[in-house]
Every structure is written in structure tokens, then in C-alpha cells.
Amino acid sequence: MDESSYWNLPTSHLLGSVPAVVNEESEASYGRRGGGGRGYQTLGPPTEGFDQQSQNNWKGVFSISSYTQYFDVDTDVVVNRFISSFYPAGGDFFNKIGANPDLYGLIWITTTLVFMLAAFGNCATYLIQKRTDRTTSWSFDVGYVNAAACGIYGYSLVVPVAFYFLLRYLGSNASLVRFLCMWGYSLSIFIPTAFLLLIPVEILRWIITLIAGTASSCFVTLNLTSYIGGSNDLRMMMVAAFLLQMALAIFIKVWFFP
Amino acid sequence: MSNSHSDTIPLHPSNSQSDIDEIRSLIDDSVHSGPAVVLPARHPATIPPPSSSPFISSNIPPPPPISSSSSLQKLQSVPAAPPPPPPVGNSSSIVANGFGPPPNTLTEPVLDTVKRDLWRIVSNLKLVVFPNPFREDPGKALRDWDLWGPFFFIVFLGVALSWSASVKKSQVFAVAFALLAAGAVILTLNVLLLGGHIIFFQSLSLLGYCLFPLDVGALICMLKDNVVAKVIIVCLALAWSSWAAYPFMSSAVNPNRKALALYPVLLMYLSVGFLIIAID
């Protein structure tokens, strides 16, 4: 490996940046870095479609730079969207996203939720069993991790895609990325819910579940309505979205916090 | 890494023979001339090993003098049919030049390879996990990355967790291994997607090395079974791991997105820490 090439790279002036391994072909593409996407240069010869990223370019599927546009958010933007998803009242989430939907929220909110459900589900099961039977000892059921992962990831991927295809079929315009983004942020309310469901009082748990489920479902429905435009044909869709989100809330309660 | 160009340098550049024929002729010569000529750790004195790392100690022994080997071979071959001296001289000289620069790492004893890899793991560990003056510049920190260290640490953590579990041991190992391996890849992709500048495998290597404190914590938790002690030990190990990973991750992205890049790292280590505490 040629050590001297590290110090001569055009990006070596960036403080703390770790220069990527550069060969002769991709050396030229660094000059275009400011113009094209801000993504990481793939190692190897740059694809011809780097600057003109057409939708039909199959080569773009395997290159990271074609996905960086969905992660073009800063910390304060993500926090803002996260907080706003707690208030189901306004139907303006899609306006807030604007031209910059992000998939960061979807991925990391779902992952956090999986971890929380697995962890707190075990704790809560132990606490409830301890109330009824004093002699139970702590046991960690790894199956909770699998169930949480399948359930949450499956829901957050399948439902937006299904709605996208259905709405496209019915003629209204829909954007897959925006749907994924919105459904991802709608799950954020379940994170504090998982924490609150540790309380080993059954009635309280059901109340908390219903409140959280209603809030999340209202968030989804109101935003969907304001995005599509409320026409009578699509009312079934709204009801279906509401019911699905409530079903998710009840599933979380029944499976992880019995 | 260092033996990547051993594949492409021709055996004997000035010879018009093809490589296969050359190898076959060498084998034939060595078979005819006795076993003493075919020495596994034969290194030419002129050409230094192709390595860029200052940490690889020069553990290559000086090449044995050719005259002693041919005299040895002559002694051994006296009971057998005596071979003509010129082909012996030719074959040994061809061996010295032909296997010249590239296959140092291919033909060295296994113990040398193992020692060199272990030494690299130790030195990387010292750079990443323990306080040292290179931590401020992440580009320097893990210049000589490798994946053996992370592999050992991940497998050790999986085995330690699986050992402590009383039921579903194999599922515990699978969850731990998948979480750590997929987690490292996803964390690296996360930084890349946020527009950060890192090298993929260097980041995987770093995240693997930062598991070392959690490995130590898991080992101690395997031995002591008290819940409070486990919580304290795991918290300390978590803090250490996060402190080790922080400079690398935070400097790889735009300062506006630092928290976005660091949060998943914390999440992964937190979930591993929880597994360590919770597995009974």
C-alpha cells in the first residue's frame, strides 16, 4: 500500500476525516464531489450515471450514493419530526417533511422499538408473574427478540408498501418514501409506551395501550387524509389504517406484556 | 492485504516457460534431487517483505546459505542415484529467484503467521481501546486494520452469553452473533448514508475492537452471579466501549449529524449490555 498517497488526497485537509482508498479512476470523481450527491465514493471506477442519476439506472441500486438523498437530515430536523409525531392533532406531517423525507427515522425508531419491546417485555413479564406467584425467578426469553423483530420490522415495511400500491391502483398519487417515513415516525409513540407498560397493574396497562394506540392511529389517519385529500372512496383506506395501527398496539400489549 | 500482489508477480520473468511448466519442472528437480532442497522457509536475503505496517516485526529468519543445502543434499543423495550438480545448482537458484518477493507469507511457518496476526491484534487493541496519543486523529488510529480481532471478540461474546444461558443456548448465541455482526455492518452503512467519510472495513474493524471491554465485562459476569454487581460491571464496560468508539464515529460525519451517527452505536452496545445482564 502506498502510504504517501494518503497525504496527497484532496480531502486530507478535512479535520479528522479518514481518507478513502483512492485509485486512479476514482481520483477524478473527487473533483465532482461537490456537484453530485454528497455520498461516499464507491471504491472502483465511478459509474457513468453518477451525476445524471436516472430512475432506470440499475447500477444505482447497489451504490450507496443513490440512497444518501434519503438520509439528508440533521440532528435537529430528526428531533423535530420525532417530537411532532407525538401530537396526533395536526395533519401536517407531510408538509413538515416537505421535499426531504428521511428513512433514518424509520430504521432507527423501529430498531429502538424492537430492543425496548424485547427488554421491557421480559422485565414486565417477570414483574407480573412475581405479583401472582412469589417464587418465580428471572428468566430471559430470547424468543421475544425474534418476535419483536419480525413483528415491528414486518409491520413497518409491509403496511406502507401495501398502502402505496393500493392507492396507486385507485388512482391517487402516493409516494412510497413519504409513506415509509410517516409510518416510521408514527411508531415513535410506542417507545415511551413500552417503558410505561412496565407497571404491573393490568387495568393501567390496558388504558395506556389504548391511549397510545389511539394517538398513533389518529396520527396516521389524519396525515393520510390530508395527504390524499378526503374523498369518499378512500374512506375505507383511512379506516383500515386506523384499525391496523390499533391492532399493532394491542399485539404489543398481548404478546410482550401479558 | 499484504499478500494481494503475490498472486500477480510472475514466477520467473525472463523465462519464456509458462508458470505451470516452470512449477512442474521445479517439482521434478526437487523430487530427483532429494528432499533437502525443498525447504519451506526459504527467503531471499535481497528483497524485504512487502509490508507497510511498522508493527509487523521482522520475524523472517535469514535465508540458509545455498552451499550448505547443496552439500547436505549431496550427502543425502549418495546412497540414492547421484544427480548431476548443475541442475541442482540451477533449481536452487531458480527457487531463490522465482519464489522471490511474493510468497513470504505463503511459505512461512504457520507459527509465524499466527504470531504476526496476534501481535497485530494486540497493537490494534492498544490503539483503539486504551488511551494513547493517536486517538485524536482517527485516520491514524486503525491504519493497519484487520478482521481477526473483531471476529474473536464477537465469537467470544456469543459463547460467553450462550454459556451463561440456561435455556435456548443456541438461540442466544445466534441472536448475539447476528446482533453484533449485522449491527456493525448497519452502523457503518448508517455513517456512509449520512454522508460521512469512512472506510467500510476499517469501521467494521473498529466497532469489533470496541467490543473488548464488553467481552471483559461478560467474562466477569459469567463468574459472578449477583445482579447488582452485574449492572455495575456492565455499565462500566459500556462506558468504556462508548468512549473508545466515540472519536472515530463522531469525526467521520458532519458535526450537525454527530448525534445521528452516535446514537445507533450507543443503542447497539446498550442492547448487548442488556443481554449480558439479563441472561441468567
Side-chain angles (χ1 to χ4, degrees), chain B residues 5-53:
Chain B
H5 39 258
S6 63
D7 306 320
T8 56
I9 298 182
L11 220 46
H12 195 47
S14 60
N15 201 338
S16 58
Q17 262 185 334
S18 74
D19 285 345
I20 298 291
D21 293 341
E22 182 136 336
I23 292 172
R24 193 173 293 139
S25 68
L26 283 172
I27 292 176
D28 290 342
D29 287 335
S30 65
V31 163
H32 290 319
S33 56
V37 174
V38 183
L39 292 172
R42 183 78 85 93
H43 304 286
T46 52
I47 299 164
S51 159
S52 62
S53 163

CSV table of all heavy atoms in Angstrom, one decimal, chain B residues 5-53:
chain,number,residue,atom,x,y,z
B,5,HIS,N,-0.5,-8.8,-3.8
B,5,HIS,CA,0.2,-8.8,-5.0
B,5,HIS,C,1.1,-10.0,-5.2
B,5,HIS,O,1.9,-10.0,-6.1
B,5,HIS,CB,1.0,-7.5,-5.3
B,5,HIS,CG,1.7,-7.0,-4.0
B,5,HIS,ND1,1.1,-5.9,-3.3
B,5,HIS,CD2,2.8,-7.3,-3.4
B,5,HIS,CE1,1.9,-5.6,-2.3
B,5,HIS,NE2,2.9,-6.5,-2.3
B,6,SER,N,1.0,-10.9,-4.3
B,6,SER,CA,1.8,-12.1,-4.5
B,6,SER,C,1.2,-13.0,-5.7
B,6,SER,O,1.9,-13.8,-6.2
B,6,SER,CB,1.8,-13.0,-3.3
B,6,SER,OG,0.5,-13.4,-2.9
B,7,ASP,N,-0.1,-12.7,-5.9
B,7,ASP,CA,-0.7,-13.6,-7.0
B,7,ASP,C,-0.3,-13.1,-8.4
B,7,ASP,O,-0.4,-13.9,-9.3
B,7,ASP,CB,-2.2,-13.5,-6.9
B,7,ASP,CG,-2.7,-13.8,-5.5
B,7,ASP,OD1,-2.1,-14.7,-4.9
B,7,ASP,OD2,-3.6,-13.1,-5.0
B,8,THR,N,0.1,-11.9,-8.5
B,8,THR,CA,0.3,-11.4,-9.9
B,8,THR,C,1.7,-11.3,-10.4
B,8,THR,O,1.9,-11.0,-11.5
B,8,THR,CB,-0.4,-10.0,-10.0
B,8,THR,OG1,0.3,-9.2,-9.0
B,8,THR,CG2,-1.8,-10.1,-9.7
B,9,ILE,N,2.7,-11.4,-9.5
B,9,ILE,CA,4.0,-11.3,-9.9
B,9,ILE,C,4.4,-12.7,-10.5
B,9,ILE,O,4.3,-13.7,-9.9
B,9,ILE,CB,5.0,-11.0,-8.8
B,9,ILE,CG1,4.5,-9.6,-8.2
B,9,ILE,CG2,6.4,-10.9,-9.2
B,9,ILE,CD1,5.4,-9.1,-7.1
B,10,PRO,N,5.0,-12.7,-11.7
B,10,PRO,CA,5.3,-14.0,-12.4
B,10,PRO,C,6.5,-14.6,-11.7
B,10,PRO,O,7.3,-14.0,-11.0
B,10,PRO,CB,5.6,-13.6,-13.8
B,10,PRO,CG,6.0,-12.2,-13.7
B,10,PRO,CD,5.2,-11.6,-12.6
B,11,LEU,N,6.5,-15.9,-11.9
B,11,LEU,CA,7.5,-16.7,-11.1
B,11,LEU,C,8.9,-16.4,-11.5
B,11,LEU,O,9.8,-16.1,-10.7
B,11,LEU,CB,7.2,-18.2,-11.4
B,11,LEU,CG,7.3,-19.2,-10.3
B,11,LEU,CD1,6.6,-18.7,-9.1
B,11,LEU,CD2,6.7,-20.5,-10.7
B,12,HIS,N,9.1,-16.4,-12.8
B,12,HIS,CA,10.5,-16.1,-13.3
B,12,HIS,C,10.3,-15.2,-14.6
B,12,HIS,O,10.0,-15.8,-15.6
B,12,HIS,CB,11.2,-17.4,-13.6
B,12,HIS,CG,12.6,-17.2,-13.8
B,12,HIS,ND1,13.4,-16.5,-12.9
B,12,HIS,CD2,13.5,-17.7,-14.7
B,12,HIS,CE1,14.7,-16.5,-13.3
B,12,HIS,NE2,14.8,-17.2,-14.4
B,13,PRO,N,10.5,-13.9,-14.4
B,13,PRO,CA,10.0,-13.0,-15.5
B,13,PRO,C,10.8,-13.3,-16.8
B,13,PRO,O,10.2,-13.1,-17.9
B,13,PRO,CB,10.3,-11.6,-15.0
B,13,PRO,CG,10.8,-11.8,-13.6
B,13,PRO,CD,10.9,-13.2,-13.3
B,14,SER,N,12.0,-13.6,-16.7
B,14,SER,CA,12.8,-13.7,-18.0
B,14,SER,C,12.6,-15.0,-18.7
B,14,SER,O,13.0,-15.2,-19.8
B,14,SER,CB,14.3,-13.5,-17.7
B,14,SER,OG,14.7,-14.5,-16.9
B,15,ASN,N,11.9,-15.9,-18.1
B,15,ASN,CA,11.8,-17.3,-18.7
B,15,ASN,C,10.6,-17.3,-19.6
B,15,ASN,O,9.5,-16.8,-19.2
B,15,ASN,CB,11.7,-18.3,-17.5
B,15,ASN,CG,12.0,-19.7,-18.0
B,15,ASN,OD1,12.0,-20.0,-19.2
B,15,ASN,ND2,12.4,-20.5,-17.0
B,16,SER,N,10.7,-18.0,-20.7
B,16,SER,CA,9.6,-18.0,-21.6
B,16,SER,C,8.7,-19.2,-21.3
B,16,SER,O,7.6,-19.3,-21.9
B,16,SER,CB,10.1,-18.1,-23.0
B,16,SER,OG,10.8,-19.3,-23.2
B,17,GLN,N,9.0,-20.0,-20.3
B,17,GLN,CA,8.2,-21.1,-19.9
B,17,GLN,C,6.9,-20.6,-19.3
B,17,GLN,O,6.9,-19.5,-18.6
B,17,GLN,CB,8.9,-21.9,-18.9
B,17,GLN,CG,9.6,-23.2,-19.4
B,17,GLN,CD,10.1,-23.9,-18.2
B,17,GLN,OE1,10.4,-23.4,-17.1
B,17,GLN,NE2,10.3,-25.2,-18.4
B,18,SER,N,5.8,-21.3,-19.4
B,18,SER,CA,4.6,-20.9,-18.7
B,18,SER,C,4.8,-21.3,-17.2
B,18,SER,O,5.7,-22.1,-16.9
B,18,SER,CB,3.4,-21.6,-19.3
B,18,SER,OG,3.4,-23.0,-18.9
B,19,ASP,N,4.0,-20.7,-16.4
B,19,ASP,CA,4.1,-20.9,-14.9
B,19,ASP,C,3.9,-22.3,-14.5
B,19,ASP,O,4.6,-22.8,-13.7
B,19,ASP,CB,3.1,-20.0,-14.2
B,19,ASP,CG,3.5,-18.6,-14.2
B,19,ASP,OD1,4.7,-18.3,-14.5
B,19,ASP,OD2,2.7,-17.7,-13.9
B,20,ILE,N,2.9,-23.0,-15.2
B,20,ILE,CA,2.7,-24.4,-14.8
B,20,ILE,C,3.9,-25.2,-15.1
B,20,ILE,O,4.3,-26.1,-14.3
B,20,ILE,CB,1.4,-24.8,-15.5
B,20,ILE,CG1,0.2,-24.0,-15.1
B,20,ILE,CG2,1.2,-26.3,-15.2
B,20,ILE,CD1,-0.2,-24.2,-13.7
B,21,ASP,N,4.4,-25.0,-16.3
B,21,ASP,CA,5.6,-25.8,-16.7
B,21,ASP,C,6.7,-25.6,-15.8
B,21,ASP,O,7.5,-26.5,-15.4
B,21,ASP,CB,6.0,-25.5,-18.1
B,21,ASP,CG,4.9,-25.9,-19.1
B,21,ASP,OD1,4.1,-26.8,-18.7
B,21,ASP,OD2,4.9,-25.4,-20.3
B,22,GLU,N,6.9,-24.3,-15.4
B,22,GLU,CA,8.0,-24.0,-14.5
B,22,GLU,C,7.9,-24.7,-13.2
B,22,GLU,O,8.8,-25.2,-12.6
B,22,GLU,CB,8.1,-22.5,-14.3
B,22,GLU,CG,9.2,-22.0,-13.5
B,22,GLU,CD,9.9,-20.8,-14.1
B,22,GLU,OE1,9.8,-20.6,-15.3
B,22,GLU,OE2,10.5,-20.1,-13.3
B,23,ILE,N,6.7,-24.6,-12.6
B,23,ILE,CA,6.4,-25.2,-11.3
B,23,ILE,C,6.6,-26.7,-11.5
B,23,ILE,O,7.2,-27.4,-10.6
B,23,ILE,CB,5.0,-24.9,-10.8
B,23,ILE,CG1,4.9,-23.5,-10.5
B,23,ILE,CG2,4.7,-25.8,-9.6
B,23,ILE,CD1,3.5,-23.0,-10.2
B,24,ARG,N,6.1,-27.3,-12.6
B,24,ARG,CA,6.3,-28.8,-12.7
B,24,ARG,C,7.8,-29.1,-12.8
B,24,ARG,O,8.2,-30.1,-12.2
B,24,ARG,CB,5.6,-29.2,-14.0
B,24,ARG,CG,5.4,-30.7,-14.1
B,24,ARG,CD,4.6,-31.2,-15.2
B,24,ARG,NE,3.2,-30.8,-15.0
B,24,ARG,CZ,2.5,-30.3,-16.0
B,24,ARG,NH1,3.0,-30.2,-17.2
B,24,ARG,NH2,1.2,-30.0,-15.8
B,25,SER,N,8.6,-28.3,-13.5
B,25,SER,CA,10.0,-28.6,-13.6
B,25,SER,C,10.7,-28.5,-12.3
B,25,SER,O,11.6,-29.2,-12.0
B,25,SER,CB,10.7,-27.7,-14.7
B,25,SER,OG,10.7,-26.4,-14.2
B,26,LEU,N,10.3,-27.5,-11.5
B,26,LEU,CA,10.9,-27.3,-10.2
B,26,LEU,C,10.6,-28.5,-9.3
B,26,LEU,O,11.4,-29.0,-8.6
B,26,LEU,CB,10.3,-26.1,-9.5
B,26,LEU,CG,10.9,-24.8,-10.0
B,26,LEU,CD1,10.2,-23.6,-9.4
B,26,LEU,CD2,12.4,-24.7,-9.6
B,27,ILE,N,9.3,-29.0,-9.4
B,27,ILE,CA,8.9,-30.1,-8.6
B,27,ILE,C,9.7,-31.3,-9.0
B,27,ILE,O,10.2,-32.1,-8.2
B,27,ILE,CB,7.4,-30.4,-8.7
B,27,ILE,CG1,6.6,-29.2,-8.0
B,27,ILE,CG2,7.1,-31.7,-8.0
B,27,ILE,CD1,5.2,-29.4,-8.1
B,28,ASP,N,9.8,-31.5,-10.3
B,28,ASP,CA,10.6,-32.7,-10.8
B,28,ASP,C,12.0,-32.6,-10.3
B,28,ASP,O,12.6,-33.6,-9.9
B,28,ASP,CB,10.6,-32.7,-12.4
B,28,ASP,CG,9.2,-33.1,-12.9
B,28,ASP,OD1,8.4,-33.6,-12.1
B,28,ASP,OD2,8.9,-32.8,-14.1
B,29,ASP,N,12.6,-31.4,-10.4
B,29,ASP,CA,14.0,-31.3,-10.0
B,29,ASP,C,14.1,-31.6,-8.5
B,29,ASP,O,15.1,-32.3,-8.1
B,29,ASP,CB,14.5,-29.8,-10.2
B,29,ASP,CG,14.7,-29.6,-11.7
B,29,ASP,OD1,15.0,-30.6,-12.4
B,29,ASP,OD2,14.7,-28.4,-12.1
B,30,SER,N,13.2,-31.1,-7.8
B,30,SER,CA,13.4,-31.3,-6.3
B,30,SER,C,13.1,-32.7,-6.0
B,30,SER,O,13.7,-33.3,-5.1
B,30,SER,CB,12.4,-30.4,-5.6
B,30,SER,OG,11.1,-30.8,-5.9
B,31,VAL,N,12.2,-33.4,-6.7
B,31,VAL,CA,12.0,-34.8,-6.4
B,31,VAL,C,13.2,-35.6,-6.8
B,31,VAL,O,13.6,-36.5,-6.0
B,31,VAL,CB,10.8,-35.3,-7.2
B,31,VAL,CG1,10.7,-36.8,-7.3
B,31,VAL,CG2,9.5,-34.8,-6.6
B,32,HIS,N,13.8,-35.3,-7.9
B,32,HIS,CA,15.0,-36.0,-8.3
B,32,HIS,C,16.2,-35.7,-7.3
B,32,HIS,O,16.9,-36.6,-7.0
B,32,HIS,CB,15.5,-35.6,-9.7
B,32,HIS,CG,14.5,-36.1,-10.7
B,32,HIS,ND1,14.0,-37.4,-10.7
B,32,HIS,CD2,14.0,-35.5,-11.8
B,32,HIS,CE1,13.2,-37.5,-11.7
B,32,HIS,NE2,13.2,-36.4,-12.4
B,33,SER,N,16.3,-34.5,-6.9
B,33,SER,CA,17.5,-34.2,-6.1
B,33,SER,C,17.3,-34.4,-4.6
B,33,SER,O,18.2,-34.1,-3.9
B,33,SER,CB,17.9,-32.7,-6.4
B,33,SER,OG,16.8,-31.9,-6.1
B,34,GLY,N,16.2,-34.9,-4.2
B,34,GLY,CA,16.1,-35.2,-2.8
B,34,GLY,C,15.4,-34.2,-2.0
B,34,GLY,O,15.2,-33.1,-2.5
B,35,PRO,N,14.9,-34.6,-0.8
B,35,PRO,CA,14.0,-33.7,-0.1
B,35,PRO,C,14.7,-32.5,0.5
B,35,PRO,O,14.0,-31.5,0.9
B,35,PRO,CB,13.5,-34.6,1.0
B,35,PRO,CG,14.5,-35.6,1.2
B,35,PRO,CD,15.2,-35.8,-0.1
B,36,ALA,N,16.0,-32.5,0.6
B,36,ALA,CA,16.7,-31.4,1.3
B,36,ALA,C,16.6,-30.1,0.6
B,36,ALA,O,16.6,-29.0,1.2
B,36,ALA,CB,18.1,-31.7,1.6
B,37,VAL,N,16.4,-30.1,-0.7
B,37,VAL,CA,16.4,-28.8,-1.4
B,37,VAL,C,15.1,-28.1,-1.2
B,37,VAL,O,15.0,-26.9,-1.1
B,37,VAL,CB,16.6,-29.1,-2.9
B,37,VAL,CG1,16.4,-27.8,-3.7
B,37,VAL,CG2,17.9,-29.7,-3.2
B,38,VAL,N,14.0,-28.8,-1.0
B,38,VAL,CA,12.7,-28.2,-0.8
B,38,VAL,C,12.5,-27.7,0.6
B,38,VAL,O,12.0,-28.5,1.4
B,38,VAL,CB,11.6,-29.1,-1.2
B,38,VAL,CG1,10.2,-28.4,-1.1
B,38,VAL,CG2,11.8,-29.6,-2.7
B,39,LEU,N,13.0,-26.5,0.9
B,39,LEU,CA,12.9,-26.0,2.3
B,39,LEU,C,11.7,-25.1,2.3
B,39,LEU,O,11.5,-24.2,1.5
B,39,LEU,CB,14.1,-25.2,2.6
B,39,LEU,CG,15.4,-26.1,2.8
B,39,LEU,CD1,16.6,-25.2,2.9
B,39,LEU,CD2,15.2,-27.0,4.0
B,40,PRO,N,10.8,-25.2,3.3
B,40,PRO,CA,9.6,-24.3,3.3
B,40,PRO,C,9.9,-22.9,3.6
B,40,PRO,O,9.2,-22.0,3.1
B,40,PRO,CB,8.8,-25.0,4.5
B,40,PRO,CG,9.7,-25.7,5.3
B,40,PRO,CD,10.8,-26.2,4.4
B,41,ALA,N,10.9,-22.6,4.5
B,41,ALA,CA,11.0,-21.2,4.9
B,41,ALA,C,12.2,-20.6,4.2
B,41,ALA,O,13.1,-20.0,4.9
B,41,ALA,CB,11.1,-21.1,6.4
B,42,ARG,N,12.2,-20.6,2.9
B,42,ARG,CA,13.4,-20.1,2.2
B,42,ARG,C,13.1,-18.7,1.8
B,42,ARG,O,12.2,-18.4,1.1
B,42,ARG,CB,13.6,-21.0,1.0
B,42,ARG,CG,14.7,-20.7,0.1
B,42,ARG,CD,16.0,-21.3,0.6
B,42,ARG,NE,16.4,-22.6,0.3
B,42,ARG,CZ,17.1,-23.0,-0.8
B,42,ARG,NH1,17.4,-22.1,-1.7
B,42,ARG,NH2,17.4,-24.2,-1.0
B,43,HIS,N,13.9,-17.8,2.3
B,43,HIS,CA,13.7,-16.4,2.0
B,43,HIS,C,14.9,-15.8,1.4
B,43,HIS,O,16.0,-15.9,1.9
B,43,HIS,CB,13.3,-15.6,3.2
B,43,HIS,CG,12.1,-16.1,3.9
B,43,HIS,ND1,10.8,-16.0,3.4
B,43,HIS,CD2,12.0,-16.9,5.0
B,43,HIS,CE1,10.0,-16.7,4.2
B,43,HIS,NE2,10.7,-17.2,5.2
B,44,PRO,N,14.8,-15.0,0.3
B,44,PRO,CA,15.9,-14.4,-0.3
B,44,PRO,C,16.4,-13.2,0.6
B,44,PRO,O,15.6,-12.5,1.2
B,44,PRO,CB,15.4,-13.9,-1.6
B,44,PRO,CG,14.0,-13.7,-1.4
B,44,PRO,CD,13.6,-14.7,-0.4
B,45,ALA,N,17.7,-13.1,0.6
B,45,ALA,CA,18.2,-12.0,1.5
B,45,ALA,C,18.0,-10.6,0.9
B,45,ALA,O,18.0,-9.7,1.7
B,45,ALA,CB,19.7,-12.3,1.7
B,46,THR,N,17.9,-10.5,-0.4
B,46,THR,CA,17.9,-9.2,-1.0
B,46,THR,C,16.6,-8.5,-0.9
B,46,THR,O,16.6,-7.3,-0.7
B,46,THR,CB,18.3,-9.3,-2.5
B,46,THR,OG1,17.4,-10.3,-3.1
B,46,THR,CG2,19.7,-9.8,-2.7
B,47,ILE,N,15.5,-9.2,-0.9
B,47,ILE,CA,14.2,-8.5,-1.1
B,47,ILE,C,13.5,-8.4,0.3
B,47,ILE,O,13.2,-9.5,0.9
B,47,ILE,CB,13.3,-9.2,-2.1
B,47,ILE,CG1,14.1,-9.2,-3.5
B,47,ILE,CG2,12.0,-8.5,-2.3
B,47,ILE,CD1,13.5,-10.2,-4.4
B,48,PRO,N,13.1,-7.2,0.7
B,48,PRO,CA,12.4,-7.1,2.0
B,48,PRO,C,11.0,-7.5,1.9
B,48,PRO,O,10.5,-7.5,0.8
B,48,PRO,CB,12.5,-5.6,2.3
B,48,PRO,CG,12.6,-5.0,1.0
B,48,PRO,CD,13.4,-5.9,0.1
B,49,PRO,N,10.4,-7.9,3.0
B,49,PRO,CA,9.0,-8.4,2.9
B,49,PRO,C,8.1,-7.2,2.5
B,49,PRO,O,8.3,-6.1,2.9
B,49,PRO,CB,8.7,-8.9,4.3
B,49,PRO,CG,9.7,-8.2,5.2
B,49,PRO,CD,10.9,-8.0,4.3
B,50,PRO,N,7.1,-7.5,1.7
B,50,PRO,CA,6.2,-6.4,1.2
B,50,PRO,C,5.2,-6.1,2.3
B,50,PRO,O,4.1,-6.6,2.4
B,50,PRO,CB,5.5,-7.0,0.0
B,50,PRO,CG,5.5,-8.5,0.3
B,50,PRO,CD,6.8,-8.8,1.1
B,51,SER,N,5.6,-5.2,3.2
B,51,SER,CA,4.6,-4.9,4.3
B,51,SER,C,4.8,-3.4,4.6
B,51,SER,O,5.8,-2.8,4.6
B,51,SER,CB,5.0,-5.7,5.5
B,51,SER,OG,4.5,-5.1,6.6
B,52,SER,N,3.7,-2.8,4.9
B,52,SER,CA,3.7,-1.3,5.1
B,52,SER,C,3.5,-1.0,6.6
B,52,SER,O,3.6,0.2,7.0
B,52,SER,CB,2.6,-0.6,4.3
B,52,SER,OG,1.4,-1.1,4.8
B,53,SER,N,3.3,-2.0,7.4
B,53,SER,CA,3.0,-1.6,8.8
B,53,SER,C,4.2,-1.6,9.6
B,53,SER,O,5.1,-2.5,9.5
B,53,SER,CB,2.0,-2.7,9.3
B,53,SER,OG,2.0,-2.6,10.7
